[in-house]
Amino acid sequence: MSGMTLYDKLWESHLIREDEAGTALLYIDRHLVHEVTSPQAFEGLRLAGRKPWRTSSILAVPDHNVPTTNRSAGIKDPVSRTQVDTLDRNCADFGITEFSMLDPRQGIVHVIGPEQGATLPGMTVVCGDSHTSTHGAFGALAFGIGTSEVEHVLATQCLIQKKSGNLQIRVDGKLAPGVAAKDVVLAIIGKIGTAGGTGYAIEFSGAVLEALSMEGRMTVCNMAIEAGARAGMIAVDDTTIDYLSRRPYTQQVDLWDRAVNAWRGFVSDADATFDKHVSLDASALAPQVTWGTSPEMVTSVDGYVPDPDQEPDPVKRDGMCKALDYMDLQPGTPITEIRPDHVFIGSCTNARIEDLRAAAAVSRGQTVAAGIKQALVVPGSGLVKQQAEAEGLDRVFRDAGFEWREPGCSMCLAMNADRLAPGDRCASTSNRNFEGRQGQGGRTHLVSPAMAAAAAISGHFVDVRDTAGR
Amino acid sequence: MEKFISLTGIVAPMDRPNVDTDAIIPKQFLKSISRSGFGPNLFDEWRYLDHGEPGMDHSGRTLNPEFVLNQERYQGASILLGRENFGCGSSREHAVWALLDYGFRVVIAPSFADIFFNNCFKNGVLPIVLDSSTVSRLFTAVETTPGYRLTVDLLAQRITMPDKDSIAFEVDRFRKDCLMRGLDDIGLTLQHTAAIRAYEERRRAEAPWLFTNLPE
Ligand code: SF4
């Protein structure tokens, strides 16, 4: 018998029952909750006279709707306010731990879970949010669920699932200075497409992933969903254990040695078999920039906007034409000639301390270009913000002309007041460049934090490898 | 959840790949704390020429005449025909609530994003995967035949075309059963309460760190 993959191990260890057709009941260890996808679930629970099965498994935080300025004044938009108030009330009623808007630990749900140590290796982690895949960086099975499933987990601590296939993505080589985790994952999506991982759980491995910090690994797993996979994961190693040893909640793990010993088992066996393999060598990888309205529409910063006439598949060609039209771009334009007028550094993909350091390194002593209408830096959590301020990064950003904001999702999806106006073009460190994602009619180019900061300084996209080596 | 057994209805074509849930229901409408009322905002940014906000009177807004669902021939459609990777992006179940509220009970596409696919079954919407060439054939038929209707029979797992030709489709047995009986799967899971408790007991001994309380 061949060995087990990391995904197989996570699946097996959470399986309560499975019928002949493969429909399984899976136990959920950690349930993260935010204000947008939970109100109807709590409502359903109440209507059925049910209670949460295990409140100690739940951590809640408002993040999508919260303002990133002057928080003490409360939320202006009454509809947003109702949603945040509803979360507060639901958590109070059911005795659920919540970091409310004014708590210094508040932040984007996928930033605070790992930061607090609420996400552990070997766990099943769910949240009513597709970017839950982020937590897979810890050797956990983490995936996004819909609101009906949120209610199901609240009521039963379980989910009805079918097992996915095993997809191994190996990234070998060594990244050039200035090339980041974000570039790696964008390149993967460019290669396999946004449906390339559909029906699979992805395990990312190889020298590049091994060399990445936990922050970088979270960036990669975060975008597994953009490759079509509900879950992305990375094996546990010293980097994982070291990160966990410094988290508030893991300080409470008595039995630390026993736990670490168990966690180290969350790796694929040497003789494990995968259903599908993808590999790429990242040594020559250039920073990536998306040019269209799907994350797979991506190319290197030293490349050009592609020509739909060169695309043989008629459905794809039509999609490209619509995207170029929406983005107002001409085929053949060098990427470095594209001039954003907004820059957004934030989101659960790239708003951790390391991301802010990378953006600050490019911005230190520089000035945001005159053509940039707005450059925002939105830390992923209150603790990231504190850390950045302790390192003086806020000064670097402010001195250069960036706005330094309170933590939350902000312009990643523009549910709060931070949004693009029609026609605005934004260099963004977030994960989705869909039409209207950052504001109706807004145009998004996905890039790494260093690339976003460099675009702010230069007024157009530039290859950060040119400066990073020096 | 409303049962799904079979349905005959007008088919509307949504001819683009990667239709994402942000497009199906834009974020400003996610601020609602209810499950219903999303129908008028289905595909809001494509459907109207002006900007929509929750709480507006949508009947007075300017429709985009180019948008497929605004065309006379597709009024009353209950089957949506899509392309690859339909429903990708955000996990928002509001996307399915909006489709349902508008009147769609079936979505046919060559592939779906996983979370969206799942969310459909939880709400009595049947997502059907057919191979791309069959889907392309249906697109041609829909676009060339005004009032084109299909009959979708879940029990027989068959789609019947106006010329009586038919296509078989696959559906997971458990999901089919839930859909045909309109079952609430929380109730089904709670039948296994003893097994869940036994599992928890065992895991508490094996891996107690999974059960520590989160401090306030
Ligand atoms: S930062 Fe963006 S992608 Fe992440 S949870 Fe918030 S809205 Fe979703």
Side-chain angles (χ1 to χ4, degrees):
Chain A
M1 210 190 101
S2 67
M4 293 166 87
T5 64
L6 168 57
Y7 174 58
D8 294 340
K9 291 181 186 182
L10 289 163
W11 178 267
E12 293 268 289
S13 58
H14 291 85
L15 196 59
I16 293 178
R17 64 187 304 277
E18 191 169 16
D19 69 16
E20 326 78 68
T23 302
L25 197 60
L26 213 59
Y27 189 80
I28 302 304
D29 296 313
R30 177 70 67 227
H31 189 185
L32 303 167
V33 170
H34 67 75
E35 80 277 21
V36 181
T37 53
S38 67
Q40 295 87 349
F42 281 112
E43 179 68 15
L45 208 62
R46 277 202 187 86
L47 287 174
R50 292 171 176 140
K51 281 204 170 66
W53 180 282
R54 182 161 75 79
T55 48
S56 67
S57 68
I58 311 170
L59 177 61
V61 69
D63 54 3
H64 286 61
N65 278 285
V66 298
T68 56
T69 51
N70 189 19
R71 236 169 227 189
S72 51
I75 305 177
K76 251 207 242 119
D77 175 356
V79 204
S80 286
R81 190 172 59 231
T82 306
Q83 207 163 48
V84 173
D85 289 348
T86 305
L87 179 69
D88 293 347
R89 191 155 16 87
N90 284 328
C91 290
D93 285 0
F94 290 113
I96 292 168
T97 302
E98 183 202 10
F99 296 169
S100 64
M101 188 170 83
L102 297 174
D103 191 305
R105 299 166 299 178
Q106 179 271 345
I108 305 170
V109 66
H110 308 307
V111 175
I112 67 162
E115 176 175 83
Q116 290 294 324
T119 301
L120 298 175
M123 270 186 167
T124 42
V125 180
V126 297
C127 175
D129 193 282
S130 58
H131 291 100
T132 310
S133 58
T134 311
H135 308 262
F138 290 83
L141 175 57
F143 53 92
I145 56 180
T147 299
S148 295
E149 291 177 310
V150 170
E151 185 182 338
H152 193 281
V153 177
L154 285 172
T156 70
Q157 208 59 39
C158 294
L159 269 180
I160 299 172
Q161 290 286 300
K162 275 209 146 175
K163 198 175 176 196
S164 306
N166 277 292
L167 166 58
Q168 182 187 44
I169 300 187
R170 278 192 68 90
V171 188
D172 288 306
K174 190 169 180 292
L175 298 181
V179 180
K182 181 66 162 287
D183 301 307
V184 172
V185 71
L186 284 172
I188 291 171
I189 297 165
K191 184 177 166 103
I192 70 173
T194 45
T198 305
Y200 292 98
I202 301 178
E203 181 176 347
F204 297 100
S205 59
V208 166
L209 277 302
E210 282 161 27
L212 283 180
S213 65
M214 286 317 293
E215 284 84 353
R217 293 177 187 186
M218 284 189 257
T219 300
V220 173
C221 289
N222 175 273
M223 290 191 72
I225 185 71
E226 258 56 65
R230 261 177 115 168
M233 60 197 80
I234 295 173
V236 174
D237 64 6
D238 290 344
T239 306
T240 326
I241 306 293
D242 176 59
Y243 180 98
L244 287 168
S245 70
R246 293 175 277 116
R247 303 296 119 197
Y249 289 170
T250 53
Q251 307 305 323
Q252 321 229 337
V253 177
D254 35 341
L255 313 161
W256 172 257
D257 293 340
R258 206 177 125 198
V260 169
N261 195 34
W263 293 342
R264 288 198 185 274
F266 287 99
V267 298
S268 287
D269 294 335
D271 57 344
T273 50
F274 288 83
D275 302 299
K276 189 171 153 186
H277 299 264
V278 172
S279 63
L280 65 159
D281 188 289
S283 298
L285 185 70
Q288 303 286 297
V289 181
T290 65
W291 51 265
T293 53
S294 163
E296 70 186 7
M297 295 173 168
V298 64
T299 190
S300 299
V301 64
D302 49 10
Y304 300 84
V305 175
D307 185 352
D309 287 344
Q310 310 289 316
E311 172 58 55
D313 176 350
V315 175
K316 271 205 177 143
R317 182 165 58 232
D318 189 43
M320 286 172 79
C321 290
K322 284 198 174 90
L324 290 182
D325 188 45
Y326 182 86
M327 295 296 290
D328 191 26
L329 290 174
Q330 295 305 317
T333 308
I335 297 295
T336 49
E337 281 180 16
I338 299 174
R339 309 186 75 87
D341 39 39
H342 283 69
V343 174
F344 171 63
I345 298 172
S347 90
C348 59
T349 315
N350 280 131
R352 299 181 181 82
I353 189 67
E354 190 178 87
D355 301 313
L356 301 189
R357 286 180 190 141
V362 174
S363 315
R364 188 164 278 119
Q366 308 284 338
T367 311
V368 168
I372 304 286
K373 289 191 240 168
Q374 186 178 44
L376 286 183
V377 186
V378 185
S381 72
L383 297 186
V384 168
K385 182 166 184 262
Q386 277 177 14
Q387 174 71 27
E389 288 173 354
E391 295 177 18
L393 305 185
D394 60 320
R395 282 258 60 93
V396 172
F397 287 123
R398 283 185 217 263
D399 290 349
F402 289 88
E403 295 174 41
W404 179 247
R405 295 289 187 90
E406 299 293 333
C409 295
S410 178
M411 206 190 269
C412 172
L413 97 162
M415 257 184 102
N416 69 354
D418 311 334
R419 63 181 75 155
L420 299 179
D424 283 349
R425 183 182 297 285
C426 183
S428 176
T429 66
S430 58
N431 42 48
R432 289 188 174 138
N433 50 354
F434 301 160
E435 285 188 18
R437 171 77 178 183
Q438 297 193 285
Q440 188 172 14
R443 300 172 175 136
T444 302
H445 297 274
L446 303 176
V447 286
S448 74
M451 284 289 290
I457 304 300
S458 308
H460 56 88
F461 288 115
V462 288
D463 189 341
V464 289
R465 287 177 303 180
D466 298 343
T467 44
R470 287 186 224 143
Chain B
M1 180 175 92
E2 205 183 319
K3 288 181 191 169
F4 188 104
I5 296 170
S6 81
L7 164 135
T8 301
I10 295 180
V11 184
M14 188 58 57
D15 196 0
R16 51 200 286 166
N18 301 315
V19 169
D20 59 77
T21 54
D22 278 75
I24 299 175
I25 184 85
K27 73 231 113 226
Q28 62 270 34
F29 304 107
L30 308 190
K31 293 177 186 175
S32 164
I33 56 170
S34 126
R35 267 179 200 262
S36 54
F38 296 101
N41 307 108
L42 175 71
F43 295 114
D44 198 277
E45 292 182 5
W46 292 343
R47 190 160 149 202
Y48 301 98
L49 291 172
D50 51 5
H51 178 76
E53 282 294 330
M56 268 169 96
D57 174 12
H58 301 288
S59 60
R61 293 176 58 197
T62 330
L63 292 173
N64 173 5
E66 306 276 296
F67 183 60
V68 62
L69 294 185
N70 291 334
Q71 293 167 22
E72 188 53 42
R73 59 190 285 193
Y74 300 122
Q75 296 315 300
S78 54
I79 301 173
L80 188 65
L81 185 63
R83 293 283 188 186
E84 280 80 9
N85 203 25
F86 192 93
C88 62
S90 153
S91 65
R92 58 187 73 164
E93 198 159 317
H94 313 66
V96 179
W97 299 336
L99 286 164
L100 187 67
D101 202 49
Y102 182 91
F104 287 114
R105 292 299 303 279
V106 177
V107 187
I108 301 173
S111 60
F112 290 91
D114 286 339
I115 304 178
F116 175 84
F117 190 72
N118 237 5
N119 286 343
C120 284
F121 285 102
K122 308 275 180 194
N123 292 281
V125 172
L126 174 62
I128 300 177
V129 179
L130 296 179
D131 64 75
S132 347
S133 61
T134 310
V135 169
S136 289
R137 237 174 52 223
L138 288 174
F139 266 105
T140 312
V142 171
E143 278 153 11
T144 52
T145 325
Y148 189 82
R149 287 163 176 265
L150 289 173
T151 297
V152 178
D153 181 346
L154 178 57
L155 179 65
Q157 296 182 212
R158 281 214 159 263
I159 300 174
T160 310
M161 293 176 275
D163 60 8
K164 304 291 176 231
D165 221 6
S166 73
I167 314 164
F169 62 88
E170 294 290 318
V171 56
D172 173 74
R173 211 168 61 199
F174 175 76
R175 285 167 160 164
K176 176 178 174 178
D177 191 45
C178 289
L179 214 51
M180 293 199 57
R181 297 202 277 158
L183 284 183
D184 153 23
D185 55 9
I186 294 179
L188 289 178
T189 298
L190 287 173
Q191 293 173 0
H192 303 297
T193 296
I196 304 171
R197 294 257 181 250
Y199 173 90
E200 269 182 336
E201 191 106 345
R202 175 165 65 78
R203 291 290 281 174
R204 255 181 226 279
E206 271 173 19
W209 50 87
L210 296 176
F211 294 86
T212 43
N213 284 335
L214 297 177
E216 278 308 296

